[in-house]
Amino acid sequence: MNRHLSAIAMAAAAVWSTHSASAQTAPAPAPVQAAPPPVPDAPAPPAVPAPAASAELEKQIAVQRADIDEQDARIQELEQALKALKQAAAPPPPPKAVATQPAPAAIPPLDESLQVRGYVQAQYESHQDSEDQLLPGGAPLNQDRFVLRRARVRLDRLWQYGGLMIEFDANSVRGAAIGIQHAEATLAYRNPDHTPLASLTFGLFDNPFGREVLESPRERVFAERSFASRAFFPAEPDLGVRASGQVAWFRYSVAVVNGQPLGDRTGFILQDPNAHKDVLGRVGVAASVNPAFRVNGGVSVLNGRGFHAGSDATKSTIVWRDIDENGQFSLGEFQGVPGVASVASKNFDRWLVGADLALELDSKLGKSLLAGELSVGSNMDRNVFVADPVTTSVDQRELGYYVALVQEFRGGPIAGFRFDSYNPNSDFLDSQAGKLIPTSQTVRTFSPLVGFQVPHRARLVFQYDFVHDALARDAAGVPTDKKNNVWTLRLQGEL
Amino acid sequence: MRRAVSWIAALALATCAVGCGDSATASSGVNEPLTVSNGQFFAGTFPSDQGGPAITSTSGYRSTIIPAGTVAKSIGGNAASGALSVAVALDGLGSGYWVAPVGSPDQETKGELSWKLVLNFTHDLPAGPQKLLFAAANRDGKFGAQRVLDVTAKPFMPTGHVVASLSWGNDADLDLHLISPSGKELDPKHLSTTAIDDGTMAPLPGGGTLDRDSLANCVPDGRRTENVVWESDAEAPEAGTYTVRVDLFSACGRPATNFVFDLYMDGQAVENQHKAGILLDIDADNGGPGSGLYVTQFTL
């Protein structure tokens, strides 16, 4: 009886699993041998006298035989129905798919082979303020041009307790240039999944601050980082030492760097004119709320010291000034300019704090990303409105933020939009009619983009930057928006 | 795919709604005959009187004679109360006008605001009388009455009875050599086509004089031009045939330099004396008498 009940249960389970299996998934085969389930609650047969008991037993046996016959008939019906269903609905099972339970995801061993990766970002860009002229000094004012923005080759090698990474970059932004972009030597103690629990890195690495600076240009859909990020960090890497790691969803990274990153416009790229080092770091979370929704966020701080260069001593000279504007020498037009002593260089304090958040969602539309970042700083602009509080005697307070939305549709299309805002000096005063008027120098950029990508192979993106700033003057002489929008058509190919 | 296109179209519309708008002109105005340091260029005609504040005075300049190519000529003055900016243009020249903010209140006048513009004029500024127009604007951008300053533009090319002119296209050090009918060679070290009088140590009469050694020692001077000038009021030039040579003293790192030679008589270019040529860096020879490429001959 019990054996028959077990067979019925098995057949029912097989029918259910056949119905619920997806088209791509083979039905799970029934166990090869199913142990008869115990029936602990079955009542024990009652004790009866022998003659009466014999008659009673025969009666029970007859009833049970009838039950068994009925059950045998039902089993045959069910087996036939099961066979028909299998033939009609389910594809034949793969020949060797015999696993009875889904195996836990095995962690592959650490890949210690040399990894070579690379990508090329080539583009055509057009700037509204381009002109067929040269800037003083000879730099072309025309920016309507084809540009090799990035051509990078990266070598990685990991082992259990460390790693090495070198990346080279070639570009034509300011003429043909080839240089080193990253050079990292790392000691690491790894989690079971090989991510670093704790690591110590020396070399040229990305400043651990915020989200954009740490995001690879290869992965970023937008052509460049936001305006504020580029003002604070002219390029991502700097020289120094970094301690970083992760525990489950917790991420941390602390670094001590020279404070003169690649692309620095103060004249000391990857050098360090002062002994003080910049200390910066980020703590954050990277968690999957569920398989389709991920959250990544953190807070960052930087504390450092900038450098104001002094000047050399000069010799006495004589200059001629055409005071009467007749183009002829006159005795009174010669002036002696006495030499002056050198001016000592000075340091100044600077700091930056920031917060970032990114939400990623996988849905029927594809992959959606909503990200934002906020940074507040003092004397941190090293690229655009370069901070120099030694000259002005006033600290330059900066505020920058952005919000970006990127939708990667299934099949390849991409659409995105980013709004970023950067106020390089919250205390800026403009002279209007002889009065100093508080005036905003804020630069706001609206950046829609569309594109198409073949994941990990190629990406074609068109981005238009509507730039609203205060770099021009209107008819009344008041700062107003300059016509300097930019569009970029970029193709990225990956190795 | 249809959903993606809908998203992208909505994105474009929303972006244009917030991102499109009026902006100041993108041109820097460097092609204009007049440029203003730290000024904003506006394309269009110079604004007429719209009831704005007036320019009350112009001052701060030493001369109203403006040689073409003049740089950093200061002109200032005062504007009536309420002015925020001053516009300036050359009447009838260029494609627009310049605007710069006014300065601090003038201590000597009641309520007036001082202003100062730093003007630069191109090499090809037409010679002759010109008018500089000024007007002030208030916060609403309304301009007041125009104020005119009459000036006289002098040509970039020196004036004289005869001018032999060499100009070239990059910052290489070229020298004009001119051999006179008497065999005297003019070059940067010998500035006249006539010999030196032993008594007065001045050139003998009838000679042409070299005006400058442009780009000497490869130091850019913004001119790239050398002229031999026979002044109008000087004695008649030495008669005979002159030979013109052009020497590449130093290439200054340039692979090749194109040049032109022109001869002017009383301000008019002489027909058939416009000669063009090119010198390669391998032609550089550090000068000296007899050096240089033969270009042409002319007779006075």
Side-chain angles (χ1 to χ4, degrees):
Chain A
M1 173 71 176
N2 289 339
R3 191 170 295 171
H4 285 288
L5 287 173
S6 301
I8 293 166
M10 287 159 46
V15 171
W16 177 85
S17 67
T18 304
H19 277 292
S20 61
S22 69
Q24 288 80 22
T25 308
V32 176
Q33 283 190 340
V39 190
D41 295 337
V48 293
S54 175
E56 186 65 23
L57 281 173
E58 284 179 1
K59 189 178 177 183
Q60 285 183 359
I61 287 170
V63 170
Q64 287 179 346
R65 277 181 180 160
D67 282 348
I68 289 170
D69 291 343
E70 184 185 343
Q71 288 168 359
D72 280 343
R74 291 186 62 192
I75 287 171
Q76 285 180 358
E77 283 179 20
L78 286 169
E79 284 178 343
Q80 286 176 355
L82 176 62
K83 192 175 178 182
L85 280 171
K86 279 183 176 176
Q87 288 175 348
K96 292 188 178 177
V98 294
T100 57
Q101 302 244 341
I107 299 172
L110 181 65
D111 185 356
E112 297 189 0
S113 64
L114 179 66
Q115 305 286 323
V116 181
R117 289 180 287 174
Y119 64 96
V120 170
Q121 292 177 341
Q123 64 196 38
Y124 180 81
E125 59 188 44
S126 177
H127 297 237
Q128 275 187 324
D129 55 353
S130 282
E131 285 189 69
D132 296 346
Q133 297 291 339
L134 299 180
L135 290 165
L141 195 54
N142 174 52
Q143 297 293 306
D144 295 345
R145 57 178 184 161
F146 291 99
V147 182
L148 177 61
R149 183 62 187 86
R150 296 178 183 88
R152 292 189 179 172
V153 176
R154 172 175 165 165
L155 310 175
D156 283 276
R157 184 153 188 190
L158 298 179
W159 64 90
Q160 184 60 36
Y161 295 106
L164 187 73
M165 189 267 272
I166 303 174
E167 186 177 40
F168 297 96
D169 174 71
N171 66 75
S172 69
V173 177
R174 295 183 180 86
I178 298 176
I180 195 160
Q181 186 71 17
H182 293 98
E184 302 179 11
T186 300
L187 291 175
Y189 183 78
R190 301 187 183 282
N191 290 309
D193 62 354
H194 310 312
T195 56
L197 175 67
S199 67
L200 184 69
T201 299
F202 274 80
L204 181 63
F205 51 80
D206 288 343
N207 282 294
F209 190 98
R211 180 176 178 279
E212 279 192 307
V213 177
L214 293 170
E215 184 180 30
S216 167
R218 176 187 186 134
E219 306 299 329
R220 185 179 57 236
V221 176
F222 293 96
E224 303 299 335
R225 289 179 284 128
S226 63
F227 199 83
S229 180
R230 283 180 282 147
F232 298 144
F233 298 94
E236 296 89 348
D238 198 355
L239 279 167
V241 58
R242 178 187 66 200
S244 62
Q246 62 185 71
V247 182
W249 46 263
F250 178 69
R251 305 284 186 273
Y252 68 93
S253 185
V254 180
V256 180
V257 298
N258 282 341
Q260 308 289 146
L262 266 181
D264 183 90
R265 301 281 290 276
T266 59
F268 300 96
I269 295 175
L270 294 187
Q271 303 176 67
D272 200 358
N274 61 17
H276 191 279
K277 306 302 170 200
D278 285 9
V279 180
L280 70 165
R282 178 182 184 271
V283 292
V285 299
S288 294
V289 178
N290 61 51
F293 184 53
R294 294 171 292 281
V295 177
N296 193 329
V299 293
S300 308
V301 295
L302 181 152
N303 185 281
R305 193 163 288 179
F307 183 76
H308 167 85
S311 61
D312 294 339
T314 62
K315 292 181 177 179
S316 299
T317 56
I318 295 175
V319 297
W320 170 62
R321 300 185 197 281
D322 189 14
I323 295 173
D324 57 8
E325 299 180 354
N326 66 352
Q328 305 291 324
F329 293 121
S330 302
L331 270 180
E333 294 177 342
F334 287 97
Q335 293 179 333
V337 179
V340 294
S342 61
V343 177
S345 301
K346 292 181 181 176
N347 292 331
F348 58 87
D349 293 330
R350 62 187 180 198
W351 56 264
L352 185 67
V353 296
D356 61 274
L357 180 66
L359 308 175
E360 270 186 46
L361 176 67
D362 293 327
S363 67
K364 288 180 180 176
L365 275 178
K367 187 170 131 186
S368 309
L369 170 70
L370 177 64
E373 193 167 345
L374 170 71
S375 301
V376 179
S378 174
N379 304 325
M380 274 304 301
D381 195 320
R382 297 179 278 192
N383 190 17
V384 188
F385 301 83
V386 177
D388 183 9
V390 173
T391 301
T392 61
S393 302
V394 178
D395 286 333
Q396 191 166 308
R397 298 187 300 141
E398 300 111 348
L399 169 68
Y401 64 89
Y402 75 86
V403 179
L405 174 65
V406 176
Q407 178 64 49
E408 298 178 27
F409 295 98
R410 292 188 190 281
I414 314 170
F417 178 77
R418 184 177 69 191
F419 169 71
D420 73 68
S421 174
Y422 174 54
N423 186 345
N425 186 356
S426 300
D427 306 303
F428 178 71
L429 301 172
D430 185 55
S431 176
Q432 296 175 16
K435 299 172 186 170
L436 293 176
I437 309 293
T439 306
S440 173
Q441 286 186 307
T442 301
V443 180
R444 298 181 181 86
T445 310
F446 304 85
S447 302
L449 72 82
V450 293
F452 191 89
Q453 66 178 352
V454 180
H456 310 301
R457 287 290 177 268
R459 181 195 297 148
L460 181 68
V461 169
F462 175 82
Q463 177 176 329
Y464 196 101
D465 295 325
F466 295 92
V467 183
H468 285 201
D469 52 33
L471 297 177
R473 289 188 181 271
D474 63 14
V478 177
T480 188
D481 180 35
K482 183 181 179 184
K483 192 173 279 186
N484 54 357
N485 294 343
V486 180
W487 64 262
T488 307
L489 179 64
R490 170 182 289 181
L491 178 61
Q492 172 174 318
E494 302 182 19
L495 191 64
Chain B
M1 182 62 81
R2 187 173 298 174
R3 187 172 295 179
V5 171
S6 304
W7 272 62
I8 291 167
L11 179 68
L13 285 173
T15 302
C16 199
V18 295
C20 299
D22 293 335
S23 301
T25 179
S27 171
S28 63
V30 293
N31 292 318
E32 296 297 306
L34 166 69
T35 61
V36 177
S37 302
N38 296 322
Q40 173 73 47
F41 178 73
F42 288 84
T45 56
F46 194 79
S48 55
D49 189 357
Q50 301 158 349
I55 297 283
T56 55
S57 66
T58 53
S59 60
Y61 52 91
R62 299 271 180 170
S63 170
T64 56
I65 297 174
I66 301 173
T70 293
V71 65
K73 182 179 180 66
S74 293
I75 296 181
N78 281 357
S81 172
L84 257 74
S85 66
V86 171
V88 62
L90 271 167
D91 189 22
L93 296 177
S95 62
Y97 58 96
W98 294 81
V99 169
V102 299
S104 56
D106 184 14
Q107 300 300 319
E108 297 179 359
T109 57
K110 280 190 175 179
E112 292 189 358
L113 294 151
S114 63
W115 56 272
K116 181 181 176 183
L117 303 177
V118 180
L119 311 181
N120 310 297
F121 299 86
T122 57
H123 291 197
D124 53 359
L125 181 69
Q130 302 287 353
K131 293 180 187 299
L132 274 172
L133 306 179
F134 297 91
N138 60 19
R139 184 171 293 278
D140 298 328
K142 292 189 182 302
F143 285 87
Q146 294 179 5
R147 188 179 182 96
V148 179
L149 177 64
D150 291 311
V151 297
T152 302
K154 286 177 63 179
F156 187 70
M157 182 66 61
T159 54
H161 173 48
V162 179
V163 177
S165 177
L166 171 71
S167 58
W168 59 98
N170 60 24
D171 286 343
D173 183 4
L174 267 68
D175 292 326
L176 175 60
H177 289 228
L178 204 60
I179 298 111
S180 70
S182 60
K184 176 78 170 61
E185 182 167 351
L186 171 149
D187 64 22
K189 291 186 176 64
H190 309 87
L191 303 181
S192 175
T193 59
T194 56
I196 302 295
D197 185 288
D198 291 337
T200 63
M201 298 305 291
L204 292 170
T209 304
L210 185 68
D211 63 349
R212 70 176 63 84
D213 181 9
S214 182
L215 271 146
N217 299 319
C218 295
V219 177
D221 57 5
R223 295 188 177 268
R224 301 173 183 169
T225 301
E226 292 179 3
N227 304 290
V228 178
V229 182
W230 285 263
E231 295 290 348
S232 305
D233 54 353
E235 292 189 10
E238 180 184 0
T241 300
Y242 290 76
T243 301
V244 178
R245 308 178 74 90
V246 175
D247 179 55
L248 181 64
F249 186 90
S250 171
C252 306
R254 269 66 182 180
T257 303
N258 289 278
F259 65 85
V260 292
F261 172 82
D262 285 288
L263 183 68
Y264 298 89
M265 302 283 284
D266 297 322
Q268 300 297 316
V270 176
E271 198 174 353
N272 299 326
Q273 286 298 345
H274 175 81
K275 306 292 181 184
I278 185 170
L279 287 166
L280 307 182
D281 54 357
I282 56 173
D283 296 323
D285 57 5
N286 285 334
S291 62
L293 175 71
Y294 170 83
V295 175
T296 186
Q297 287 184 324
F298 62 88
T299 303
L300 296 179

